[in-house]
Amino acid sequence: MSRTSIRTDFPYEIRREDVRIPVPGGTSRAEGSGGGVPLYARVWRPVTEEPVPALLEYLPYRLTDWTAPRDQQRHPWYAGHGYASVRVDVRGHGNSGGLPGDEYDATELADGAAVVNWLAEQPWCTGDVGMFGISWGGCNALQVAALAPGPLKAVVTVCSTDDRYDNDVHYMGGSVLGVDMHAWGAAMLALSCRPPDPEHVGDEWRSTWLRRLEAVEPLVDTWLSHQTRDAYWKHGSVCEDYGAIGAAVLAVGGWHDPYRDTVLRLVRHLPADRVRGIVGPWSHQYPDRGLPPGPAIGFLQETLRWWDHHLKGAANGVMDEPLLRSWISDSHPPATVYEELPGRWVADPAWPSPHVTPVTYGFRGSPVVVDSPQQTGIDAGRFLPFGNDADLPPDQREEDAHSACFDFPVPEDGGPVEILGRPSVTLSLRTAAPTGQVIARLCDIAPDGSSTLVTRGALNFSARHGRDRAEPARIGETEGFAFELNGIGHAFAPGHRVRLAVSSTYWPWIWPRPDAAGFTLDPAGSSLTLPVRRRTEDAVVWEEPEQAEPLEVAHPASPEERRPERVVVRDVAKGEWRLEVDPKYGGTRVYPDGLEFTEDALETYTIEERGPLTARTRSDWTIRLRRPDRGWDVGVETRSEITCDAEAFHTSNEVVCREGDEVVFHRTWEKRIPRTAG
């Protein structure tokens, strides 16, 4: 097992200061009518008289509390190795000025480019800047790189997306993601309503907070209003023009993260002299944090090599590394958490790889009707796993029972069947309704019958000819539906079976279509294609993970934190299934500066076995921030719901904010959004 070392002896001493970086105003998100908007920043710098390159991480998640423990692991580490490492809050969030807007909107990206230029102009900076981040920060790092600010020379993007429509938390295969379209929209509503901290902004915190609250809008209403891949989603999707990215890109992902296909596309489409890719066994986390599944790697050391080469001109061989280094997991029993997965690292000099050959498996048998009950998908696991105990999919045997399954044995007298890349399916379907979905899961079946989910994919019937349009299926006609599954590295052991399981529903990941009439699958003309990798013996070596000294944050226990992470409740008489999820983002924590931060969230997904129009999502958030020494005590409560009928989605959102016992803000939003494709 990889053990994280805590590093305190750096080549440089470190100084830290909080500053405000001015970016241009003059938009609806600026404070006031003139001048610039100050973005709150924390800068860790090496103690030296020589200028150094700067590294930027740029997020809406509040550097003084929410990401402070994670920031402390890496920013001082970079500073101790000769970089000015800078963490900045996006406009309208944390202690920055301005008003909150949509994710990755034009203002956010322009601000990011302005911060890059500001950093380059500082007397302590050489003029060369790198940008890094995970999730939101990894996404906007790519998007700012596509704006090509001159000083931005290199990027490290982790668990990010190049395609905001089809590889993010909104849509999958042209279908509405019931799980994170709702859950993350609800989370951002709650998080955007937190006030600035008077410890850092002084007495103006209250007036700034109230202005922000008046500007907040539920993001889910915007997301649901764009159900095909239109101009809204093309904005910020760097896959529209990979050539716009001038910086060198190190793309990093995990096989248990939904964004991992971005790594495969970036190493395929960016010039080989400016890109490298790493995909490990990880969840939605930095690869050095040691959160399951592992093994973790010395990620900070690997990125230091990247920065040293591209920002300092070091001839350290980082660009001599293989184009793509990937983890291939061995067969393993199903579980919702793994401390470490069995497997090995492999190296590929190009992508597509010369070591990978597509192998097609044809289906056999008579046509089969697939009309899955609506709760199929209840064992899908978390869309964005964070390393918690109930994140990953359990045994898939119940899901397989609701699906049409096609098995392909792995001979016992041979080696494992290793795959690396994106499997694909072609399914010959006769639809019973003009709308619907088809979901394909690839599973590893052990000799004892246990079923481990390997990867999956989905296709909305209306998106079969392109995500940018909605074309109803032709009822009663047999048609080929072809789509890719998410990328994976996996070795099916001898004596196991490769299973493709096909269902017509997948709640709560995929929001059900009104008809829910299923389809008939004809094995003749249907096939599974696997990216089979020839076994190679590769010398991929990582240093052990290390980080800077951690932030001393206390985590007092609370009743909410003892709540189960994931509970399935079945009302047998009613035929109703309810999934309750505690996302466990952080719970209660007390920071070294005295801030008490309490956070509780509960997501609920409900559906009846034969009632696609009974689908309902709800998310409840409670956040409290206290500084007892100041007498400061504020709270945020939000409720978010989505229901549907045959013609429309119905969203309901409510925010209540308090200062002490006084309600200072209360607003509700009720929207009806026509179902055009979702």
Side-chain angles (χ1 to χ4, degrees), residues 464-480:
R464 67 197 184 283
H465 297 309
R467 306 294 194 265
D468 58 345
R469 67 200 74 177
E471 297 183 16
R474 299 191 293 270
I475 302 174
E477 296 185 21
T478 299
E479 187 176 354

Side-chain angles (χ1 to χ4, degrees), residues 96-163:
S96 287
L99 305 177
D102 198 0
E103 60 175 0
Y104 319 127
D105 65 11
T107 299
E108 175 185 333
L109 302 186
D111 286 352
V115 171
V116 167
N117 290 323
W118 184 90
L119 292 173
E121 293 168 358
Q122 300 312 298
W124 40 258
C125 182
T126 61
D128 290 327
V129 179
M131 197 167 177
F132 72 92
I134 181 171
S135 196
W136 192 306
C139 294
N140 66 23
L142 279 178
Q143 294 163 15
V144 171
L147 297 179
L152 185 61
K153 301 299 194 300
V155 165
V156 175
T157 181
V158 183
C159 297
S160 67
T161 184
D162 62 339
D163 185 343

Side-chain angles (χ1 to χ4, degrees), residues 353-360 418-420 529-534:
S353 171
H355 303 313
V356 175
T357 301
V359 176
T360 298
E418 293 191 353
I419 63 172
L420 179 64
T529 300
L530 295 180
V532 176
R533 188 182 189 278
R534 174 174 55 84

Side-chain angles (χ1 to χ4, degrees), residues 63-370:
L63 65 90
T64 55
D65 45 64
W66 220 53
T67 66
R70 189 181 77 191
D71 296 343
Q72 180 67 25
Q73 293 172 338
R74 57 208 65 252
H75 287 278
W77 193 96
Y78 285 137
H81 286 86
Y83 289 85
S85 198
V86 185
R87 170 70 174 83
V88 176
D89 279 341
V90 167
R91 181 189 297 230
H93 296 272
N95 300 311
S96 287
L99 305 177
D102 198 0
E103 60 175 0
Y104 319 127
D105 65 11
T107 299
E108 175 185 333
L109 302 186
D111 286 352
V115 171
V116 167
N117 290 323
W118 184 90
L119 292 173
E121 293 168 358
Q122 300 312 298
W124 40 258
C125 182
T126 61
D128 290 327
V129 179
M131 197 167 177
F132 72 92
I134 181 171
S135 196
W136 192 306
C139 294
N140 66 23
L142 279 178
Q143 294 163 15
V144 171
L147 297 179
L152 185 61
K153 301 299 194 300
V155 165
V156 175
T157 181
V158 183
C159 297
S160 67
T161 184
D162 62 339
D163 185 343
R164 293 184 56 223
Y165 178 75
D166 209 37
N167 196 195
D168 207 330
V169 299
H170 315 100
Y171 293 86
M172 182 177 181
S175 289
V176 172
L177 275 168
V179 57
D180 264 48
M181 169 77 84
H182 164 75
W184 194 243
M188 283 308 301
L189 179 62
L191 299 178
S192 298
C193 289
R194 295 171 297 178
D197 190 333
E199 185 77 9
H200 302 285
V201 301
D203 293 339
E204 67 181 37
W205 74 268
R206 194 175 191 275
S207 59
T208 301
W209 186 31
L210 294 178
R211 285 197 300 273
R212 283 189 192 172
L213 291 173
E214 291 294 338
V216 164
E217 295 288 340
L219 297 181
V220 71
D221 291 342
T222 301
W223 298 342
L224 273 176
S225 298
H226 298 272
Q227 292 169 32
T228 57
R229 196 172 188 281
D230 58 12
Y232 174 80
W233 298 113
K234 292 178 182 179
H235 164 78
S237 292
V238 299
C239 62
E240 293 295 309
D241 182 10
Y242 291 109
I245 300 174
V249 175
L250 177 61
V252 182
W255 292 132
H256 288 93
D257 179 75
Y259 301 150
R260 71 260 198 177
D261 294 334
T262 288
V263 178
L264 303 181
R265 287 191 291 267
L266 288 173
V267 296
R268 179 171 187 168
H269 292 288
L270 292 180
D273 62 348
R274 287 195 285 110
V275 67
R276 289 295 181 271
I278 301 169
V279 189
W282 312 301
S283 62
H284 194 71
Q285 294 287 356
Y286 277 120
D288 58 287
R289 300 195 71 193
L291 294 168
I297 65 170
F299 179 67
L300 289 175
Q301 299 97 301
E302 187 65 18
T303 58
L304 183 65
R305 296 176 64 211
W306 189 258
W307 305 129
D308 283 350
H309 177 77
H310 293 288
L311 302 182
K312 292 184 176 180
N316 57 15
V318 72
M319 296 309 292
D320 296 329
E321 298 290 354
L323 185 71
L324 180 66
R325 287 167 285 176
S326 309
W327 175 268
I328 294 184
S329 295
D330 293 335
S331 288
H332 50 275
T336 60
V337 66
Y338 307 90
E339 288 301 318
E340 289 199 359
L341 284 166
R344 65 192 184 94
W345 287 96
V346 300
D348 289 274
W351 196 260
S353 171
H355 303 313
V356 175
T357 301
V359 176
T360 298
Y361 298 76
F363 295 0
R364 294 181 179 179
S366 302
V368 58
V369 174
V370 181

Side-chain angles (χ1 to χ4, degrees), residues 632-670:
W632 185 63
D633 187 350
V634 295
V636 175
E637 297 175 13
T638 64
R639 172 193 56 81
S640 301
E641 294 183 80
I642 306 177
T643 59
C644 67
D645 55 35
E647 288 76 35
F649 292 102
H650 302 272
T651 66
S652 176
N653 290 277
E654 181 178 21
V655 172
V656 179
C657 296
R658 292 181 171 86
E659 182 181 358
D661 295 327
E662 177 190 359
V663 174
V664 297
F665 182 83
H666 183 195
R667 185 176 176 185
T668 59
W669 297 261
E670 305 282 342

Side-chain angles (χ1 to χ4, degrees), residues 490-507:
H490 185 83
F492 294 88
H496 285 223
R497 285 172 286 148
V498 178
R499 171 172 291 171
L500 186 76
V502 180
S503 65
S504 60
T505 59
Y506 205 58
W507 174 260

Side-chain angles (χ1 to χ4, degrees), residues 535-558:
R535 186 176 179 88
T536 58
E537 297 301 328
D538 302 298
V540 178
V541 179
W542 308 102
E543 294 187 52
E544 291 296 304
E546 65 177 47
Q547 299 166 351
E549 199 167 8
L551 189 68
E552 295 298 328
V553 179
H555 294 271
S558 67

